Amino acid sequence: MSGTKPPRVWQRMLSGRRLDLLDPSPLDIEIEDIAHGLARVARWNGQTRGEHAFSVAQHSLIVEASVRFADDDPRWRLAALLHDGPEYVIGDMISPFKSVVGGDYRLVEERLQRAIHLRFGLPATLPPAILKAIKTADRLSAFHEATRLAGFSTEEAGAFFGRPAEGAVSATSLEPKPAEVVGRLFLARFRELDAGTVAAGRPATGGKT
Protein backbone atom coordinates (compact mmCIF):
# COMPACT_ATOMS: atom_id res chain seq x y z
CA MET A 1 0.00 0.00 0.00
CA SER A 2 1.44 3.33 -1.07
CA GLY A 3 1.85 6.10 1.46
CA THR A 4 1.33 8.78 -1.19
CA LYS A 5 -1.19 11.34 -0.06
CA PRO A 6 -4.13 11.64 -2.48
CA PRO A 7 -4.35 14.95 -4.34
CA ARG A 8 -6.70 17.61 -3.04
CA VAL A 9 -9.69 17.91 -5.35
CA TRP A 10 -11.69 20.57 -3.50
CA GLN A 11 -11.48 24.33 -3.43
CA ARG A 12 -12.21 26.43 -0.36
CA MET A 13 -14.50 29.38 -1.05
CA LEU A 14 -14.67 32.70 0.77
CA SER A 15 -18.04 31.61 2.14
CA GLY A 16 -16.22 28.76 3.90
CA ARG A 17 -17.63 26.09 1.58
CA ARG A 18 -15.36 23.32 0.32
CA LEU A 19 -16.42 22.45 -3.21
CA ASP A 20 -15.36 19.04 -4.50
CA LEU A 21 -14.44 19.44 -8.17
CA LEU A 22 -15.02 15.78 -9.06
CA ASP A 23 -18.26 15.33 -7.13
CA PRO A 24 -19.68 18.82 -6.53
CA SER A 25 -22.61 19.06 -4.13
CA PRO A 26 -25.29 21.72 -4.67
CA LEU A 27 -25.14 22.31 -0.92
CA ASP A 28 -21.58 23.65 -1.28
CA ILE A 29 -22.53 26.27 -3.88
CA GLU A 30 -23.32 29.85 -2.87
CA ILE A 31 -24.34 32.65 -5.23
CA GLU A 32 -22.03 35.08 -3.38
CA ASP A 33 -19.05 32.87 -4.27
CA ILE A 34 -20.17 32.67 -7.89
CA ALA A 35 -20.64 36.44 -8.21
CA HIS A 36 -17.30 37.16 -6.52
CA GLY A 37 -15.42 34.65 -8.66
CA LEU A 38 -16.96 35.44 -12.05
CA ALA A 39 -16.36 39.16 -11.52
CA ARG A 40 -12.65 38.37 -11.22
CA VAL A 41 -12.32 35.91 -14.10
CA ALA A 42 -11.21 37.65 -17.30
CA ARG A 43 -12.67 36.80 -20.67
CA TRP A 44 -10.27 36.39 -23.61
CA ASN A 45 -7.38 35.55 -21.25
CA GLY A 46 -7.35 39.23 -20.33
CA GLN A 47 -6.44 40.31 -23.87
CA THR A 48 -9.01 43.09 -24.05
CA ARG A 49 -8.92 46.86 -24.26
CA GLY A 50 -9.70 49.04 -21.29
CA GLU A 51 -8.49 49.85 -17.81
CA HIS A 52 -10.21 46.80 -16.33
CA ALA A 53 -10.50 43.19 -17.41
CA PHE A 54 -13.73 42.26 -19.14
CA SER A 55 -15.10 39.66 -16.78
CA VAL A 56 -17.23 36.55 -17.16
CA ALA A 57 -19.78 38.17 -14.84
CA GLN A 58 -20.15 41.14 -17.19
CA HIS A 59 -20.45 38.79 -20.17
CA SER A 60 -23.12 36.81 -18.32
CA LEU A 61 -25.16 39.95 -17.69
CA ILE A 62 -25.06 40.77 -21.41
CA VAL A 63 -26.12 37.24 -22.37
CA GLU A 64 -29.05 37.30 -19.94
CA ALA A 65 -30.16 40.71 -21.21
CA SER A 66 -29.87 39.62 -24.86
CA VAL A 67 -31.42 36.15 -24.79
CA ARG A 68 -34.87 35.59 -26.27
CA PHE A 69 -37.04 32.65 -25.27
CA ALA A 70 -40.26 31.32 -26.78
CA ASP A 71 -41.95 31.32 -23.36
CA ASP A 72 -41.70 33.52 -20.29
CA ASP A 73 -40.71 30.87 -17.74
CA PRO A 74 -38.46 32.91 -15.38
CA ARG A 75 -36.21 29.90 -14.76
CA TRP A 76 -34.69 30.18 -18.21
CA ARG A 77 -33.51 33.76 -17.71
CA LEU A 78 -31.85 32.65 -14.47
CA ALA A 79 -30.20 29.81 -16.40
CA ALA A 80 -28.88 32.34 -18.91
CA LEU A 81 -27.28 34.41 -16.15
CA LEU A 82 -25.64 31.25 -14.77
CA HIS A 83 -24.64 29.74 -18.12
CA ASP A 84 -20.91 30.19 -17.38
CA GLY A 85 -21.29 29.50 -13.66
CA PRO A 86 -18.63 26.74 -13.49
CA GLU A 87 -15.98 29.28 -14.44
CA TYR A 88 -16.02 30.70 -10.91
CA VAL A 89 -14.12 27.52 -10.06
CA ILE A 90 -12.31 26.46 -13.23
CA GLY A 91 -11.72 29.83 -14.89
CA ASP A 92 -12.55 30.90 -18.44
CA MET A 93 -10.54 28.62 -20.66
CA ILE A 94 -10.45 29.92 -24.23
CA SER A 95 -12.01 27.63 -26.86
CA PRO A 96 -8.72 26.64 -28.56
CA PHE A 97 -7.35 25.35 -25.26
CA LYS A 98 -10.60 23.51 -24.47
CA SER A 99 -10.10 21.65 -27.73
CA VAL A 100 -6.58 20.65 -26.70
CA VAL A 101 -7.56 19.55 -23.17
CA GLY A 102 -10.58 17.58 -24.32
CA GLY A 103 -12.96 15.36 -22.36
CA ASP A 104 -11.75 15.64 -18.76
CA TYR A 105 -12.25 19.41 -18.70
CA ARG A 106 -15.72 19.07 -20.22
CA LEU A 107 -16.70 16.44 -17.66
CA VAL A 108 -15.70 18.64 -14.70
CA GLU A 109 -17.49 21.61 -16.29
CA GLU A 110 -20.68 19.62 -16.87
CA ARG A 111 -20.75 18.27 -13.30
CA LEU A 112 -20.34 21.75 -11.89
CA GLN A 113 -23.06 23.14 -14.15
CA ARG A 114 -25.51 20.45 -13.07
CA ALA A 115 -24.76 21.13 -9.40
CA ILE A 116 -25.28 24.88 -9.92
CA HIS A 117 -28.59 24.26 -11.65
CA LEU A 118 -29.82 22.01 -8.86
CA ARG A 119 -28.68 24.50 -6.20
CA PHE A 120 -30.86 27.22 -7.70
CA GLY A 121 -33.94 25.21 -8.63
CA LEU A 122 -33.19 24.66 -12.32
CA PRO A 123 -33.29 21.36 -14.23
CA ALA A 124 -29.92 19.59 -14.09
CA THR A 125 -30.01 19.51 -17.90
CA LEU A 126 -31.79 22.30 -19.73
CA PRO A 127 -34.21 21.62 -22.61
CA PRO A 128 -32.53 21.76 -26.05
CA ALA A 129 -34.52 24.82 -27.14
CA ILE A 130 -33.41 26.75 -24.04
CA LEU A 131 -29.78 25.74 -24.53
CA LYS A 132 -29.98 26.88 -28.16
CA ALA A 133 -31.41 30.28 -27.22
CA ILE A 134 -28.71 30.84 -24.59
CA LYS A 135 -26.00 29.75 -27.04
CA THR A 136 -27.30 32.24 -29.61
CA ALA A 137 -27.06 35.08 -27.08
CA ASP A 138 -23.65 33.81 -25.97
CA ARG A 139 -22.32 33.98 -29.53
CA LEU A 140 -23.87 37.42 -30.02
CA SER A 141 -21.99 38.73 -26.99
CA ALA A 142 -18.80 36.95 -28.07
CA PHE A 143 -18.94 38.58 -31.53
CA HIS A 144 -19.25 42.09 -30.10
CA GLU A 145 -16.63 41.46 -27.41
CA ALA A 146 -14.25 40.11 -30.06
CA THR A 147 -14.64 43.09 -32.40
CA ARG A 148 -14.90 45.91 -29.86
CA LEU A 149 -12.58 44.68 -27.12
CA ALA A 150 -10.34 41.82 -28.27
CA GLY A 151 -8.93 43.10 -31.58
CA PHE A 152 -10.75 40.76 -33.98
CA SER A 153 -11.76 41.99 -37.40
CA THR A 154 -15.46 41.77 -38.28
CA GLU A 155 -14.71 39.04 -40.81
CA GLU A 156 -12.65 37.00 -38.37
CA ALA A 157 -15.23 37.26 -35.58
CA GLY A 158 -18.02 36.43 -38.00
CA ALA A 159 -16.24 33.27 -39.06
CA PHE A 160 -15.90 32.10 -35.45
CA PHE A 161 -19.13 33.31 -33.88
CA GLY A 162 -21.49 34.17 -36.73
CA ARG A 163 -22.33 37.74 -37.66
CA PRO A 164 -25.34 39.02 -35.68
CA ALA A 165 -27.54 42.04 -36.30
CA GLU A 166 -25.70 45.31 -35.81
CA GLY A 167 -26.32 47.24 -32.61
CA ALA A 168 -27.70 44.26 -30.66
CA VAL A 169 -25.25 44.89 -27.77
CA SER A 170 -24.75 48.45 -26.55
CA ALA A 171 -21.33 50.03 -26.26
CA THR A 172 -22.11 50.93 -22.64
CA SER A 173 -22.70 47.31 -21.64
CA LEU A 174 -19.34 46.37 -23.17
CA GLU A 175 -17.33 48.96 -21.25
CA PRO A 176 -15.19 46.89 -18.83
CA LYS A 177 -16.13 47.55 -15.22
CA PRO A 178 -14.19 47.08 -11.96
CA ALA A 179 -14.61 43.66 -10.38
CA GLU A 180 -16.34 45.06 -7.30
CA VAL A 181 -18.92 46.89 -9.41
CA VAL A 182 -19.75 44.05 -11.78
CA GLY A 183 -19.87 41.56 -8.91
CA ARG A 184 -22.56 43.67 -7.22
CA LEU A 185 -24.48 44.02 -10.50
CA PHE A 186 -24.38 40.26 -11.09
CA LEU A 187 -25.57 39.51 -7.58
CA ALA A 188 -28.35 42.11 -7.77
CA ARG A 189 -29.60 40.68 -11.08
CA PHE A 190 -29.54 37.19 -9.61
CA ARG A 191 -31.69 38.40 -6.71
CA GLU A 192 -34.21 39.91 -9.12
CA LEU A 193 -34.45 36.76 -11.22
CA ASP A 194 -34.58 34.48 -8.19
CA ALA A 195 -37.44 36.55 -6.78
CA GLY A 196 -39.24 36.17 -10.11
CA THR A 197 -38.97 32.41 -10.00
CA VAL A 198 -40.24 32.45 -6.41
CA ALA A 199 -43.25 34.50 -7.56
CA ALA A 200 -43.83 31.83 -10.20
CA GLY A 201 -44.00 29.15 -7.51
CA ARG A 202 -40.44 27.94 -6.90
CA PRO A 203 -38.96 28.06 -3.35
CA ALA A 204 -36.36 30.77 -2.73
CA THR A 205 -32.73 29.67 -3.12
CA GLY A 206 -30.77 32.90 -2.94
CA GLY A 207 -29.87 32.73 0.76
CA LYS A 208 -27.21 30.61 2.38
CA THR A 209 -28.04 27.04 3.30
Side-chain angles (χ1 to χ4, degrees):
M1 181 176 178
S2 172
T4 303
K5 186 177 180 180
R8 177 170 67 89
V9 294
W10 54 266
Q11 178 177 346
R12 183 181 181 86
M13 303 298 172
L14 287 180
S15 64
R17 298 293 189 185
R18 291 187 178 187
L19 183 63
D20 189 316
L21 300 183
L22 299 183
D23 187 21
S25 168
L27 297 177
D28 289 326
I29 291 169
E30 302 291 354
I31 191 58
E32 292 83 2
D33 292 330
I34 293 175
H36 181 88
L38 294 186
R40 288 159 175 77
V41 174
R43 293 267 292 171
W44 309 96
N45 271 355
Q47 297 299 306
T48 50
R49 301 184 180 97
E51 181 180 354
H52 304 284
F54 185 81
S55 70
V56 175
Q58 192 165 348
H59 162 79
S60 298
L61 287 163
I62 291 173
V63 170
E64 187 274 318
S66 304
V67 70
R68 299 291 179 265
F69 297 116
D71 65 64
D72 59 357
D73 188 326
R75 294 178 300 166
W76 308 144
R77 199 154 287 283
L78 185 60
L81 184 70
L82 297 170
H83 79 282
D84 278 338
E87 294 179 7
Y88 90 105
V89 179
I90 57 180
D92 181 32
M93 188 179 294
I94 59 174
S95 295
F97 198 53
K98 286 183 182 179
S99 300
V100 172
V101 173
D104 288 343
Y105 174 88
R106 295 289 187 184
L107 183 60
V108 171
E109 184 179 44
E110 289 169 6
R111 287 174 177 171
L112 285 165
Q113 189 72 75
R114 287 196 296 269
I116 290 169
H117 282 175
L118 292 174
R119 172 66 177 88
F120 300 117
L122 301 170
T125 302
L126 298 176
I130 301 305
L131 285 171
K132 182 178 180 181
I134 293 173
K135 186 62 178 177
T136 297
D138 186 43
R139 293 172 69 88
L140 169 72
S141 184
F143 175 88
H144 287 289
E145 292 167 34
T147 53
R148 300 189 204 180
L149 297 173
F152 284 60
S153 68
T154 300
E155 292 73 20
E156 189 177 25
F160 289 127
F161 310 112
R163 188 165 182 172
E166 292 297 329
V169 175
S170 70
T172 302
S173 66
L174 284 164
E175 183 178 342
K177 297 178 175 61
E180 293 78 6
V181 171
V182 76
R184 289 195 297 269
L185 291 172
F186 182 96
L187 190 57
R189 185 57 179 156
F190 171 88
R191 301 291 190 206
E192 292 174 357
L193 295 172
D194 190 51
T197 61
V198 171
R202 178 180 62 71
T205 64
K208 294 183 181 295
T209 56

